[in-house]
């Protein structure tokens, strides 16, 4: 982050603006809206500023800028069309530690003025650190269109009730929930639509406040949420909502940090995945933690990679919650098979190649192997192995033993849907060797079936990244190991 975003209270604070043209006038307009005491220095002013000066709304010092004019100012803006003057203002302001903005010159500026959407008291500020003003403007247009016109009225209303609500509902979590219900509920909808007058609205808020039992701890609940395979864009709207409502977020290894970042700033984040060197939190401990947090009245978001009900042990967690009588909801996510296949350009079914699809865990060694390999060996289908990377040789052997031809196409997708995604295609005969060469790391998904051949023509994602086989050929030739 190149800039620290803040909102500055300027009511009755002295601000110096150097320059008397259109650009200065726009800044002055904004400063006056924020209640600042504006002094403008310039040899001459445009018409609109003369009017303001004559009305006494701004103070006008006619002439050239002199450093002494900065004394006592809490902010300065240089908006002349003469660069040396702007630079001079900036230098003196810096010396006095007065934050300065030089219009259209971020090098000389201590602060930049963002584009804003003003629904006062709600103000949305947007900046691109000075890199892309046109993009900033586009974003502003989008927000203008998206944010209800009467948002400010709603926020003002909430502001008037804030201290009353605080006095009436002591438990902070309960208070937050009151406000969440308020903003999601019918009163807010009426205000935003302009349907009801202020008196009836205030009476309604009063009534809903009366209905809240002041000392009640709110009941906790758990949302079991699928975060998808990695790309934050694949999160559902409902998942986003659950994340933002949560007091605590429990996440594991497969959930990307950008997604965890979408939680409320003050939400507690608990990592419960496996990490190299760290002690592994057992499933029993996770179940117990979920129950404990919910019993404390917290709203818990249990974030899982992909879909929580597909090789995610989500069912076990819900059983523990159900046994403890805790309310829960489940938000499905895009499972790795769907996400990886889409981003690899591999249709999981296709009329010419595959009429059925099986999702199976590749964690299928020894006595615990309950997989019906004869079924998986049949032609005309696609089989997706989760957690199969470490057992690739074993999987190939078992399929081959059941008569699957060596030339059956297959693919491994590493870090599917993420910027580091790689797709390695081959056949049962050579895939394992290619995967070893490419030094594929977890998470990776194995897809066995003729549909994987379509990757060659249908791949679309990350196409500018070097292909896995190119990377490995390069790495191996560099190390002089490419002999076989
Ligand atoms: N509940 C998850 C699966 C958890 S099992 C889901 O629905 O996707 C973990 C396995 O999922 C990994 O070993 C890997 O095989 C697969 N997987 C998850 N995310 C993946 C990704 N982004 N790319 C490739 N494989 C992934």
């Amino acid at each position: 982050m190149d800039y620290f975003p803040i909102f500055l209270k300027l009511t009755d604070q002295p601000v110096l603006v150097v320059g008397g043209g259109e650009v200065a006038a726009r800044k002055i307009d904004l400063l006056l809206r924020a209640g600042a005491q504006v002094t403008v220095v310039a040899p001459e002013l445009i018409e609109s500023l003369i009017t303001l000066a004559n009305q006494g709304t701004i103070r006008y010092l006619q002439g050239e800028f002199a450093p002494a004019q900065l004394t006592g100012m809490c902010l300065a803006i240089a908006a002349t069309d003469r660069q040396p003057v702007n630079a001079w203002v900036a230098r003196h302001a810096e010396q006095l530690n007065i934050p300065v903005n030089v219009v259209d010159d971020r090098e000389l500026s201590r602060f930049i003025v963002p584009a804003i959407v003003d629904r006062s008291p709600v103000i949305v500020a947007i900046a691109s650190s000075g890199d892309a003003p046109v993009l900033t403007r586009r974003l502003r247009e989008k927000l203008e269109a998206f944010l209800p016109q009467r948002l400010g009225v709603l926020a003002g209303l909430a502001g008037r009730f804030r201290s009353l609500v605080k006095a009436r509902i002591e438990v902070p979590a309960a208070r937050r929930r009151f406000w969440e219900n308020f903003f999601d509920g019918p009163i807010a909808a009426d205000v935003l639509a302009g349907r009801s007058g202020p008196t009836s609205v205030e009476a309604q808020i009063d009534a809903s406040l009366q209905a809240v039992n002041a000392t009640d701890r709110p009941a906790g609940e758990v949302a079991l949420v699928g975060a998808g395979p990695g790309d934050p864009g694949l999160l559902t709207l409902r998942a986003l909502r659950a994340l933002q409502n949560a007091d605590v977020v429990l996440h594991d290894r497969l959930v990307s940090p950008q997604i965890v970042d979408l939680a409320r700033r003050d939400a507690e984040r608990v990592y419960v995945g496996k990490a190299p060197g760290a002690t592994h939190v057992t499933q029993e401990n996770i179940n117990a933690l979920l129950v404990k947090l919910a019993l404390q009245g917290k709203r818990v978001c249990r974030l899982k990679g992909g879909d929580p009900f597909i090789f995610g042990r989500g069912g076990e967690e819900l059983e523990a919650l159900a046994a403890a009588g805790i309310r829960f909801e489940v938000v499905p996510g895009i499972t790795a098979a769907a996400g990886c296949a889409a981003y690899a350009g591999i249709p999981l079914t296709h009329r010419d190649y595959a009429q059925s699809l099986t999702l199976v865990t590749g964690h299928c060694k020894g006595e615990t192997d309950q997989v019906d390999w004869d079924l998986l060996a049949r032609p005309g289908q696609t089989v997706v192995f989760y957690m199969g990377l470490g057992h690739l040789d074993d999987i190939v052997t078992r399929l081959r033993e059941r008569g699957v031809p060596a030339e059956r196409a297959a693919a491994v997708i590493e870090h599917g849907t993420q910027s580091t995604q790689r797709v390695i295609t081959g056949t049962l005969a050579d895939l394992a060797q290619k995967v070893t060469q490419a030094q594929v790391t977890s998470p990776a998904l194995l897809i066995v079936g003729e549909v994987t051949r379509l990757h060659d023509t249908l791949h679309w994602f990350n196409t500018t990244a070097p292909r896995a086989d190119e990377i490995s050929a390069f790495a191996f030739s560099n190390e002089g190991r490419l002999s076989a």
Side-chain angles (χ1 to χ4, degrees):
M1 200 150 68
D2 294 329
Y3 289 85
F4 180 67
I6 52 172
F7 288 90
L8 195 64
K9 190 168 173 69
L10 278 184
T11 320
D12 295 330
Q13 297 299 304
V15 176
L16 187 73
V17 177
V18 183
E22 290 295 345
V23 181
R26 279 202 297 276
K27 295 289 185 253
I28 289 171
D29 174 54
L30 212 56
L31 289 166
L32 290 176
R33 272 157 64 184
Q37 276 178 6
V38 177
T39 300
V40 60
V41 190
E44 53 187 11
L45 299 182
I46 58 166
E47 203 62 45
S48 62
L49 291 179
I50 292 174
T51 313
L52 288 176
N54 287 342
Q55 289 166 348
T57 313
I58 59 175
R59 188 161 72 106
Y60 177 35
L61 304 177
Q62 192 169 17
E64 291 293 343
F65 164 73
Q69 291 158 347
L70 281 166
T71 311
M73 295 292 165
C74 65
L75 208 69
I77 295 181
T80 78
D81 51 10
R82 289 172 297 160
Q83 204 274 341
V85 175
N86 287 346
W88 197 41
V89 175
R91 201 172 66 236
H92 284 284
E94 285 290 344
Q95 270 169 13
L96 294 168
N97 264 332
I98 297 170
V100 63
N101 170 260
V102 177
V103 174
D104 285 336
D105 193 335
R106 67 171 153 170
E107 300 304 324
L108 287 179
S109 297
R110 170 66 43 191
F111 71 94
I112 52 178
V113 182
I116 60 164
V117 181
D118 188 3
R119 300 279 192 278
S120 279
V122 176
I123 306 162
V124 184
I126 315 150
S128 60
S129 309
D131 280 342
V134 175
L135 177 68
T136 314
R137 220 151 36 212
R138 284 274 178 285
L139 282 173
R140 206 200 110 193
E141 282 160 19
K142 286 202 170 123
L143 287 169
E144 277 289 0
F146 171 76
L147 295 175
Q149 282 304 323
R150 296 172 57 83
L151 194 65
V153 179
L154 183 63
L157 186 68
R160 287 202 294 285
F161 275 87
R162 208 169 152 210
S163 39
L164 184 62
V165 171
K166 194 164 181 189
R168 188 78 53 81
I169 311 175
E170 283 162 23
V171 182
R175 205 155 58 227
R176 188 165 64 241
R177 236 169 267 189
F178 170 84
W179 283 120
E180 279 166 2
N181 291 338
F182 170 77
F183 288 117
D184 289 344
I187 306 179
D190 279 347
V191 173
L192 290 179
R195 271 193 295 264
S196 45
T199 15
S200 79
V201 167
E202 306 214 343
Q204 284 178 60
I205 300 179
D206 253 334
S208 63
L209 250 181
Q210 301 294 346
V212 177
N213 192 339
T215 50
D216 260 7
R217 206 171 257 297
E221 56 193 40
V222 176
L224 179 63
V225 177
D231 178 352
L234 295 178
L235 206 64
T236 63
L237 294 176
R238 213 179 165 106
L240 183 63
R241 181 143 213 201
L243 253 175
Q244 296 189 335
N245 279 342
D247 303 307
V248 192
V249 179
L250 264 66
H251 59 102
D252 46 41
R253 192 176 52 89
L254 285 175
V255 181
S256 61
Q258 299 100 300
I259 290 178
V260 181
D261 253 6
L262 295 170
R264 268 189 315 124
R265 284 243 164 268
D266 55 343
E268 192 185 335
R269 292 151 170 83
V270 186
Y271 177 75
V272 292
K274 279 185 218 168
T279 41
H280 173 41
V281 188
T282 64
Q283 188 61 51
E284 288 67 35
N285 286 342
I286 295 174
N287 295 355
L289 185 59
L290 285 171
V291 170
K292 185 176 117 192
L293 291 166
L295 288 178
Q296 287 170 355
K298 301 235 165 85
R299 255 191 296 189
V300 185
C301 175
R302 171 66 173 119
L303 258 189
K304 284 177 168 286
D307 180 272
F309 279 180
I310 297 182
F311 306 126
R313 302 187 73 168
E316 296 166 43
E317 294 179 9
L318 292 192
E319 281 168 336
L321 296 172
I326 287 157
R327 281 191 342 146
F328 59 79
E329 67 169 314
V330 185
V331 181
I334 292 183
T335 190
C340 296
Y343 278 51
I346 298 174
L348 290 172
T349 68
H350 188 291
R351 283 198 296 174
D352 297 338
Y353 309 111
Q355 283 68 47
S356 72
L357 166 68
T358 307
L359 307 183
V360 41
T361 164
H363 231 294
C364 44
K365 277 200 131 171
E367 288 148 26
T368 55
D369 186 355
Q370 292 167 355
V371 173
D372 184 344
W373 290 97
D374 289 315
L375 196 73
L376 300 185
R378 289 192 196 154
Q381 63 169 330
T382 305
V383 185
V384 180
F385 291 90
Y386 286 65
M387 296 171 277
L389 186 61
H391 311 281
L392 191 52
D393 284 330
D394 198 41
I395 292 168
V396 170
T397 307
R398 283 170 196 251
L399 290 174
R400 296 279 291 114
E401 280 168 5
R402 266 84 179 174
V404 179
E407 58 275 12
R408 171 74 52 84
V412 162
I413 301 156
E414 177 194 37
H415 305 179
T417 79
Q418 298 164 20
S419 58
T420 48
Q421 170 176 300
R422 292 193 294 170
V423 181
I424 290 135
T425 55
T427 62
L428 290 190
D430 61 12
L431 189 66
Q433 191 209 346
K434 285 181 171 180
V435 164
T436 311
Q437 275 188 1
Q439 301 178 339
V440 171
T441 58
S442 188
L445 200 72
L446 167 65
I447 305 182
V448 178
E450 293 306 303
V451 287
T452 56
R453 294 191 195 278
L454 291 164
H455 166 75
D456 280 345
T457 37
L458 301 185
H459 68 274
W460 58 272
F461 177 68
N462 254 2
T463 43
T464 50
R467 286 172 48 126
D469 42 3
E470 289 166 3
I471 293 176
S472 61
F474 177 72
F476 274 68
S477 60
N478 262 358
E479 291 170 31
R481 282 198 274 142
L482 199 66
S483 47

